[in-house]
Amino acid sequence: MLGRGPGGAWVYLRFPFAALEVFGRKGQVPVRGTINGFAFRNSLMPRDGIHILGVDKNLQQGAAANVGDTVKVELHLDDATRTVTTPPDLEAALADHPEQANRFAALSYSHKKEYVDWIESAKKPETRANRIQKALELISKGKNPKG
């Protein structure tokens, strides 16, 4: 069943098994699968002695699922390498700033994805351009867009 996180800011799916027993891991677990037949690729995150899966709006819509709904889940360990496709405009900005480009290249998959998702979610071209400039500043300071 989909639940809502504290403060109602996020939605998650709680798993009724021990990730260590099922996947041989007790920390973050990369997974792929489906919710109501809608495919996803994400990670199980440890929280309060269990593992949860964050369910973003796109996944909720694709799975036609809302908070409180019981869902059908298929889940598999995902050992495939995870890569992020850097948008051309961010790539060009990084090319002009070698130090930030090196720092960005060294980031984990999830941090790179945060930057790319944040930039890609801009609705207006000027917002996107501003986010790219802000990303360069944050990367130089070793910070991510979510603070």
Side-chain angles (χ1 to χ4, degrees):
M1 179 168 50
L2 293 180
R4 190 168 298 284
W10 49 281
V11 175
Y12 68 94
L13 184 58
R14 179 184 180 139
F15 287 89
F17 57 78
L20 183 58
E21 292 174 19
V22 175
F23 297 116
R25 300 179 185 190
K26 60 182 177 179
Q28 188 168 321
V29 181
V31 294
R32 62 181 166 77
T34 62
I35 295 179
N36 291 345
F38 186 79
F40 69 88
R41 193 173 186 204
N42 204 332
S43 295
L44 298 181
M45 301 168 287
R47 185 171 178 94
D48 300 328
I50 61 162
H51 276 75
I52 63 171
L53 176 77
V55 182
D56 67 15
K57 290 179 183 180
N58 290 333
L59 183 49
Q60 289 175 56
Q61 288 174 342
N66 296 303
V67 172
D69 289 352
T70 299
V71 294
K72 181 180 178 186
V73 179
E74 183 180 316
L75 194 64
H76 305 279
L77 183 64
D78 185 3
D79 280 335
T81 302
R82 294 183 175 203
T83 59
V84 176
T85 301
T86 307
D89 48 355
L90 176 58
E91 192 74 42
L94 289 168
D96 291 338
H97 298 85
E99 183 180 330
Q100 286 92 332
N102 289 335
R103 286 180 182 229
F104 185 78
L107 291 175
S108 67
Y109 163 81
S110 58
H111 284 127
K112 286 180 188 173
K113 187 173 183 323
E114 280 182 34
Y115 275 109
V116 170
D117 289 349
W118 178 55
I119 290 166
E120 295 277 325
S121 69
K123 292 178 176 66
K124 297 179 181 178
E126 56 270 17
T127 302
R128 185 179 178 100
N130 288 338
R131 286 184 182 179
I132 289 172
Q133 289 307 308
K134 181 69 174 176
L136 293 173
E137 293 171 25
L138 292 170
I139 291 167
S140 70
K141 294 176 183 176
K143 297 183 177 182
N144 65 34
K146 292 187 178 178

